[in-house]
Amino acid sequence: MVVQQLERRRSGRSRRFLAAPVGAGLACLVLATAGCSPGGAAADDAGGDPHQALQHAADELVRAGTARARTSMEMASGGTRVTIRGSGTYDFVRRVGELRVQLPQDPAGVEPQGPITEMLAPGALYMKNRGAGVPADKWVRIDTTTLSDGNLVTGGATDPLTAAELLRGARSVEYAGPAEVEGVAVRHYRGVVDLARAAELAPKENRAVLRAAVKGFTKDTVPFDAYLDDEGRLRKIRHEFSFANGQTEGGSSGGASGAPAGSGSRSGKAVAVMSTTWLDAFGTKAAAKLPESGDIYAGRIAQG
């Protein structure tokens, strides 16, 4: 995993995951606050039942069709923070997105490699320019249903539609008040996601991925902050995941795709990962095309 590899490098361990992207990168986590009260209905009230608003957030994104997306994934461990930054577009109808993910500088001071291009699709993550002996013009494909976290953190960015679909399992929800995200008046909600319930209520295209995530984290609930505009569309969402920084027992450390071979039990200190997604420019062009089979690398990926 991208995030796990970073943590292992920070702790000085020499072991590397096969097919994990070399390096990992940092992006500032920009938190919207509820200080000002911009004009518009979002500034005035909670917009009805908070639970219903959050449960329909993913459906509203599908109605919007497409959007521009920015992502930030921050990990804090041992007094050090690293952040992975991504940007691109997402088609919520096709469930396909394309992000350019910038990895962080190596702890030894080595300059980071160029951005990795990631294609997000139902049940799959494609990566290009990911190093580790993979030709620059080839893609690596990961079956996300085999990942112990369902690819909520593995690729360094949470799939924007999956992030919204997690809210179907929201509980202990409260309206935190009006806020503003990049000049847009929004309603700020906070609560926790029950991963098992989110998997239960997810569309069939994403059910297997979220079921995998239920087994992969140290906690079965995930705190979140969600910011919805007047049309019920997510403008920003932040989740705080917790995973174990330890080897998966009973499973391989990785294969040609970089996915853990088994779930097993996990040991080690829990690491918090804050994943944030911003969405804007709804209706923007998002014509991402998934790689052809001949463009996918089938060879062995070198150890980092």
Side-chain angles (χ1 to χ4, degrees):
M1 289 186 181
V2 173
V3 175
Q4 284 185 326
Q5 185 188 21
L6 283 174
E7 171 59 18
R8 288 177 181 276
R9 288 186 351 196
R10 292 281 176 181
S11 63
R13 298 181 185 179
S14 60
R15 186 173 176 276
R16 294 290 190 270
F17 283 88
L18 295 178
V22 179
L26 230 34
C28 294
L29 189 61
V30 181
L31 296 178
T33 60
C36 20
S37 297
D44 302 327
D45 59 76
D49 182 355
H51 282 90
Q52 286 191 7
L54 294 175
Q55 287 171 1
H56 293 310
D59 300 327
E60 293 302 329
L61 291 180
V62 173
R63 287 192 185 92
T66 61
R68 186 168 56 193
R70 289 189 298 112
T71 64
S72 171
M73 188 168 285
E74 181 180 279
M75 179 181 70
S77 180
T80 302
R81 290 183 180 272
V82 292
T83 311
I84 305 167
R85 177 183 298 166
S87 62
T89 59
Y90 198 97
D91 185 326
F92 298 103
V93 177
R94 296 168 56 220
R95 301 186 65 96
V96 174
E98 181 173 2
L99 297 175
R100 286 173 62 83
V101 177
Q102 181 62 59
L103 306 181
Q105 186 175 16
D106 187 276
V110 178
E111 287 298 316
Q113 70 179 72
I116 290 177
T117 301
E118 294 189 355
M119 296 287 295
L120 310 170
L125 167 66
Y126 299 86
M127 295 186 295
K128 190 176 183 180
N129 190 35
R130 46 96 58 244
V134 179
D137 62 340
K138 292 292 185 180
W139 294 83
V140 173
R141 183 186 186 279
I142 295 175
D143 180 352
T144 53
T145 64
T146 67
L147 295 172
S148 60
D149 73 319
N151 193 37
L152 291 178
V153 302
T154 290
T158 304
D159 181 295
L161 187 52
T162 300
E165 287 175 342
L166 283 172
L167 294 175
R168 299 184 196 276
R171 70 185 196 195
S172 303
V173 178
E174 65 176 16
Y175 174 55
E180 183 177 333
V181 175
E182 298 181 334
V184 176
V186 294
R187 299 181 179 92
H188 177 193
Y189 302 93
R190 64 165 59 101
V192 296
V193 167
D194 182 319
L195 288 173
R197 178 154 180 78
E200 205 176 283
L201 298 175
K204 62 180 181 180
E205 298 92 339
N206 217 28
R207 210 165 289 157
V209 168
L210 292 183
R211 282 175 178 165
V214 172
K215 303 174 184 178
F217 291 99
T218 58
K219 297 179 182 178
D220 57 7
T221 57
V222 177
F224 72 86
D225 286 88
Y227 301 79
L228 275 62
D229 64 18
D230 282 345
E231 296 182 50
R233 303 172 303 192
L234 271 174
R235 290 286 179 158
K236 176 183 172 185
I237 184 165
R238 177 182 184 271
H239 291 100
E240 183 175 338
F241 300 104
S242 179
F243 73 92
N245 176 33
Q247 181 179 356
T248 299
E249 298 174 3
S252 165
S253 62
S257 69
S263 53
S265 61
R266 306 183 71 83
S267 60
K269 184 179 178 180
V271 176
V273 178
M274 279 66 72
S275 177
T276 308
T277 299
W278 295 263
L279 299 169
D280 65 5
F282 293 102
T284 193
K285 183 178 180 181
K289 183 180 179 182
L290 296 180
E292 301 288 342
S293 58
D295 294 327
I296 298 174
Y297 182 65
R300 182 176 176 81
I301 297 173
Q303 294 192 26

